Amino acid sequence: MALKTILHLSDLPNLDHVPEIYSTCFSKGLDLNRASSFRIPKFMVIGHRGHGMNILQSSDSRMKAIKENSILSFNSAAKFPLDFIEFDVQVTKDDCPVIFHDDFILTEENGTIFEKKVTELCLAEFLCYGPQKETGKEGKCLYRKTKDGKFVKWNVETDDSLCTLQDAFQKVEPSLGFNIELKFDDFAVYQQDHLLHILQVILQVVFEFARDRPIIFSTFQPDAAQLVRKLQNNYPVYFLTEGGASIYYDVRRNSLGEAMKVCLEGGLQGIVSEIKGVFKDPGAVPKIKDSNLSLLTYGKLNNVPEAVHMQYLMGIDGVIVDFVEEISQTVDDMIKPAKEMTTEGKGESEANSKLQFSQKELSFLLKLIPELIQF
């Protein structure tokens, strides 16, 4: 497997000289008691790229229903009992934070596919792709590259225009929390000054338009994670990891144990892991919790109700999902018995008896799961 290069924070100038430029009160709905100890109030459901990511070659129509990372997708997700939506933010060359997952944006001209790096486009160029807001104006046709190297038209049942981070703050249901993934190229080497500039541009928009909206930052880039934590103390910062599913040159990205170190060294509030990494190493969950870190997960298995229920029993704090309607209903059904018992005054100990497995059965399942999960 190819090794991916990441610049270590230790190779950069001392971060102690970076000022904490943003601080004040914390978003309502989330409790940040102190910098190193963040607690999520309940099991959370987070919509992946809004209403769900697009997999254009999938036979499941739900994966092609609504354009991912769009205002339409975000507001469609808001119709369900979600706590947050997750989306990817990059910064254009003229310093505008935009919402787009892929590093490159693809279109076709005269039978040839052309690709351009999102961060090398100016905002006007970026917005020329896909459906246009202006009546009668036609945008460049969007394509996407599949894992097997094929180029396919980005056709979905309900399309929408590309958007900026500011658009999302101004046009999305205000009670819906934002999990903002700070998107960086896995193959790029970033100087600290560049990371600092990108993060400040994003934070400027967040602090101007967020108001009372709950916000969580997350990123796979360990230096960016620690830097955004240094730059502000309003919003929790999570370190994203594949939990060992891929091997990177930067060892900080290669396991849950390394992710814990990044969080504890940088004063981060939690980890977002690919669920296979957690199921492969379930013993990491109590270690993460004992370290006063929150744990969320992402991945295709989070679209399976039984896998989500298992995480609930394991004490994981929330899931990022594509099938927002189905999984939000599953979670509501899971936590309803606990709510009812608490309402009836039977106490917290009985409310926690929501487990449908005995401790012995749960222990057996936790030992069995790593044998079932293959990377």
Side-chain angles (χ1 to χ4, degrees), residues 1 21 113 115 145 244 254 306 308:
M1 188 174 294
I21 57 174
I113 299 293
E115 64 176 24
K145 191 175 183 178
N254 291 342
E306 292 79 6
V308 173

Side-chain angles (χ1 to χ4, degrees), residues 301-353:
L301 279 175
N302 281 358
N303 295 322
V304 180
E306 292 79 6
V308 173
H309 199 169
M310 189 67 199
Q311 294 177 66
Y312 180 55
L313 301 181
M314 293 170 67
I316 289 168
D317 296 301
V319 290
I320 299 173
V321 307
D322 295 301
F323 300 162
V324 294
E325 180 176 6
E326 295 85 346
I327 301 302
S328 60
Q329 182 61 55
T330 294
V331 171
D332 187 56
D333 292 342
M334 287 189 316
I335 65 177
K336 192 179 297 181
K339 287 182 179 178
E340 290 172 352
M341 282 189 284
T342 303
T343 303
E344 292 170 7
K346 295 186 179 181
E348 186 177 351
S349 61
E350 286 195 61
N352 288 336
S353 67

Side-chain angles (χ1 to χ4, degrees), residues 179-248:
N179 171 192
I180 300 174
E181 180 183 338
L182 307 167
K183 184 79 174 177
F184 295 94
D185 186 343
D186 285 333
F187 298 94
V189 174
Y190 294 97
Q191 299 297 323
Q192 185 188 18
D193 287 348
H194 180 72
L195 285 178
L196 181 61
H197 176 73
I198 294 300
L199 295 175
Q200 287 176 327
V201 168
I202 294 171
L203 286 172
Q204 182 176 353
V205 174
V206 171
F207 276 80
E208 182 174 354
F209 296 102
R211 300 189 178 182
D212 292 330
R213 190 187 298 272
I215 304 290
I216 291 174
F217 290 114
S218 63
T219 182
F220 284 101
Q221 223 288 351
D223 298 331
Q226 294 184 346
L227 185 53
V228 77
R229 177 67 191 91
K230 179 67 177 176
L231 288 171
Q232 57 83 42
N233 65 5
N234 283 35
Y235 304 112
V237 181
Y238 281 59
F239 181 51
L240 272 158
T241 179
E242 294 179 43
S246 298
I247 301 301
Y248 293 84

